[in-house]
């Protein structure tokens, strides 16, 4: 999953473990957000369930 840092604007990707964590989090509580930490500036970029579900593969993970 490609994310653009909301602070320094660099794109970075999330690993499988983080994706799995996010899916579990959103399944449990659809109104929360996930904080993805930028590898460069270490600031958190918020990811909502809606953004996560834009990717059909991840959307499927939420339905499992
Ligand atoms: Zn950053």
């Amino acid at each position: 999953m490609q994310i653009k840092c909301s602070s320094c604007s660099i794109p970075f990707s999330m690993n499988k473990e983080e994706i799995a964590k996010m899916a579990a989090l959103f399944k449990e509580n659809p109104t929360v957000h996930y904080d993805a930490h930028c590898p460069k500036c270490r600031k958190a970029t918020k990811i909502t369930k809606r953004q996560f579900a834009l990717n059909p593969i991840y959307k499927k993970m939420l339905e499992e």
Side-chain angles (χ1 to χ4, degrees):
M1 184 183 193
Q2 281 286 324
I3 292 151
K4 198 175 166 204
C5 177
S6 59
S7 182
C8 70
S9 296
I10 69 146
F12 60 99
S13 56
M14 311 225 7
N15 64 34
K16 269 187 193 162
E17 285 77 27
E18 285 175 302
I19 298 292
K21 244 199 268 178
M22 270 204 268
L25 183 79
F26 293 140
K27 262 158 93 172
E28 207 174 285
N29 189 346
T31 60
V32 294
H33 66 261
Y34 184 88
D35 285 330
H37 293 274
C38 174
K40 194 182 163 205
C41 71
R42 296 267 147 212
K43 294 235 170 75
T45 294
K46 287 180 172 63
I47 299 161
T48 62
K49 187 187 176 185
R50 203 175 61 87
Q51 284 171 288
F52 185 77
L54 285 176
N55 183 316
I57 297 162
Y58 305 149
K59 195 177 177 191
K60 246 190 150 182
M61 285 172 79
L62 296 172
E63 288 160 2
E64 273 164 12

